[in-house]
Amino acid sequence: MRLAWLFPLAVIAAAPAVAQVSIGPGYGSPGAPASALGVPANSALQPTPYFPGSTKRYFPVEAARKLILEGRYAEADRVLDHFYVRQTTAETNLLKGITSLKLGDADAARWRFLRAAKITRYRDPSALTGLAAAELSLGNEDAARDILGKLRSQQEKCGTGCARNESLSRAVSALERELD
């Protein structure tokens, strides 16, 4: 017990040198360049991004969503390729699928919509609708009809009291219009 005070010192001495450096209060503050923090320019330790000249945080997925709504697909695609954006989320894959489809790359859109559908266990109507649209643009009408069948099945199982009922009915009606 008398040597218990040595344990914290041993932990500090054994920790890597990077962990012992205090970054300080400027970390992540607006206008703090990475070089001021002693961090290389393309490091994962860079400060959280902010809008230029503002104290508002920059959320690339939200910015990409706004750009897509404005019809600026190439810019949204560049934003989604940023290294701050996690490429493993259903939302990111869905947005990347939309931009790929609108920019004419149906194969990449199919892959992204398929990933988004797998992440959500094929329960997200928007991912399935995007996948069907990509299949239609590739000329796979049978695959799009299979997806429509899956959506109809989910709609029947869901019933009228389900939270997803409205989005399922919109997805089914949109696909029926495209396929007829």
Side-chain angles (χ1 to χ4, degrees):
M1 276 320 249
R2 291 182 186 180
L3 298 177
W5 61 274
L6 284 176
F7 181 72
L9 293 176
V11 170
I12 291 172
V18 175
Q20 295 178 20
V21 175
S22 174
I23 294 177
Y27 180 73
S29 62
S35 60
L37 303 174
V39 179
N42 291 327
S43 171
L45 297 175
Q46 279 186 326
T48 307
Y50 285 82
F51 287 113
S54 173
T55 57
K56 285 181 72 176
R57 288 188 60 172
Y58 174 64
F59 296 101
V61 176
E62 290 177 15
R65 191 180 308 116
K66 288 178 185 176
L67 289 170
I68 288 172
L69 289 174
E70 294 172 3
R72 297 162 49 189
Y73 303 109
E75 292 175 52
D77 193 49
R78 282 195 306 273
V79 168
L80 290 169
D81 284 337
H82 198 271
F83 70 92
Y84 281 116
V85 180
R86 288 188 52 209
Q87 300 295 324
T88 57
T89 65
E91 183 180 20
T92 303
N93 281 299
L94 182 68
L95 294 174
K96 281 289 286 182
I98 292 169
T99 59
S100 298
L101 192 61
K102 292 294 186 175
L103 293 174
D105 192 359
D107 286 326
R110 180 186 181 279
W111 186 80
R112 288 295 186 159
F113 286 129
L114 188 60
R115 282 192 63 181
K118 284 181 181 179
I119 290 169
T120 61
R121 297 182 184 151
Y122 296 92
R123 297 179 52 88
D124 184 11
S126 57
L128 291 174
T129 306
L131 181 59
E135 292 290 357
L136 282 174
S137 66
L138 289 170
N140 301 334
E141 191 172 324
D142 292 336
R145 289 195 187 281
D146 290 342
I147 294 168
L148 177 61
K150 288 178 187 177
L151 285 169
R152 283 182 180 154
S153 171
Q154 287 182 16
Q155 190 178 24
E156 289 171 9
K157 290 177 185 176
C158 182
T160 57
C162 181
R164 298 182 319 130
N165 186 33
E166 184 180 333
S167 59
L168 281 169
S169 62
R170 279 187 284 156
V172 167
S173 65
L175 274 178
E176 285 174 343
R177 278 192 310 256
E178 287 294 319
L179 288 171
D180 290 336

